[in-house]
Amino acid sequence: MDSCEVLIIGSGPGAISAAESYRDNGGGGRVLIVTTDTDAPYFRPPLSKDFLRGESEFDDITQHPPDWYSERNIEIHTGTTVVGLDSGARTAGLSTSETIDFQTAIIATGARPTPLPVPGGEHALLLRSFAEAATLRTAASQASSAVVIGAGFIGCEAAASLAARGVATTVVAPEQVPQAPRLGPDAGARILTMLDDAGVRYVGGPAVTRMEPDAVTLDDGVRIDSDLILAATGITPCTDIAEAAGLDLEDGRIVVDEHMRTSSDAILAVGDVAIAHNSTAGRRIATEHWQDAVDQGEIAGATAAGVSRSWDAVPGFFTTIGDHTLKYAAWGDGFDTAHLVERDGGFVVWYQSAGVTVGGLTYNSDDDYELAEKLVADHKPAPA
Ligand SMILES: Cc1cc2nc3c(=O)[nH]c(=O)nc-3n(C[C@H](O)[C@H](O)[C@H](O)COP(=O)(O)OP(=O)(O)OC[C@H]3O[C@@H](n4cnc5c(N)ncnc54)[C@H](O)[C@@H]3O)c2cc1C
């Protein structure tokens, strides 16, 4: 049986920053990264933006050059899935039939796209991995029309990128304006304008009931012909091995404390797959953002090296829809009020709950973004 000190499962931002942080915090044991992904670790955010527009290639979006891993003595096994995890015996079973024993395992398995469960749903492309992005880009190069199902950030970004390629693109989503339940109707109206600026048609309200290779049908009977269909209909955290290991879960994610420890001493978890206690929020927070996975990886790496650090940052991300970049700092678990304030050439939406700021969404207003992070961290009210 092969053995290592730290087994890291996955190769997204949470995994790579955990490996780096373990070394930076003095961890000297063998580090092994095992990932289903067949490609060397890469940045996902460009997959719906410049990569889809055809403005970057794989080499432009790799997380690190090969030397970076060898210099730190970090081993990576791509194209290999961890299929079983025994927290008592501290062993992991691999898809290659090998077994690895470890002192600490860090689960950074992220999430997979959730397909739309309608007849013909298999005709829609999905977007998470580089391989899926490459398939989408090839399809886009041969398409003159596209339907993107779902108006979350990945759906909006991908739709704007498809339109920028000259593909006539329609977004179909159940919300009257994009993301109204998550960000409020005023922010949704602004995102709708951004899609419009990018040349994307938005059909809000009806649900997709059926797909064919070249069309989607809506519940109001409308049929939209399309050379390409992309389902951007949310994600499902990859918790299979955590469930098999008997770890505590909440809302379909692995429960971790502020040090990224799961309910087992032997196992940590980070990133989209985790719901982590944030010591500033004073509660568990689930995030689906690149930087938060990096931050949590840094904490898990420190924990594995025996250094105590806590997750206390306010979650946040940037998104680019065509030429427009929105920045969002928020706990992301709901709000009582959403108040949009115009700025010169931009805006800020303040989100409050029980009288304190729980988030800020900004456009062309970086001072407000910094203020939002501070007000959220300090549990202070939004500016009058
Ligand atoms: C197209 C796209 C655009 C995005 N744009 C932005 C953006 O602009 N800003 C932003 O903040 N966020 C963005 N995100 C979200 C961001 O990429 C995620 O929040 C982030 O990647 C989560 O990192 P993670 O480390 O938790 O997992 P992931 O990056 O999902 O990595 C999980 C890894 O685990 C592997 N894996 C899964 N199961 C197993 C197993 N059993 N064994 C071995 N390996 C396994 C997978 O192959 C993968 O390598 C975007 C996401 C996508 C898909």
Side-chain angles (χ1 to χ4, degrees), residues 8-16 34-38 42-49 63 80-83 108-112 127-129 153-154 157 235 238 240-241 270-274 287-294 316-320:
I8 301 180
I9 308 166
S11 57
I16 304 307
V34 173
T35 179
T36 305
D37 217 307
T38 48
Y42 51 85
F43 291 106
R44 266 178 229 290
L47 300 181
S48 49
K49 306 178 186 78
Q63 285 201 50
T80 309
T81 297
V82 173
V83 293
T109 47
R112 65 176 76 88
L127 178 56
R128 183 81 184 180
S129 65
F153 282 122
I154 291 175
E157 289 180 353
I235 59 170
C238 298
D240 320 26
I241 51 174
V270 299
D272 287 9
V273 77
T287 60
E288 295 173 3
H289 314 145
W290 186 271
Q291 187 57 46
D292 295 306
V294 170
F317 74 92
F318 301 175
T319 179
T320 303

Side-chain angles (χ1 to χ4, degrees), residues 227-263:
D227 297 335
L228 181 167
I229 305 167
L230 172 66
T233 38
I235 59 170
T236 305
C238 298
T239 55
D240 320 26
I241 51 174
E243 285 173 55
L247 303 183
D248 288 351
L249 300 187
E250 179 182 305
D251 294 337
R253 295 177 202 258
I254 305 168
V255 172
V256 296
D257 67 10
E258 65 270 38
H259 310 295
M260 306 297 129
R261 290 199 189 98
T262 68
S263 51

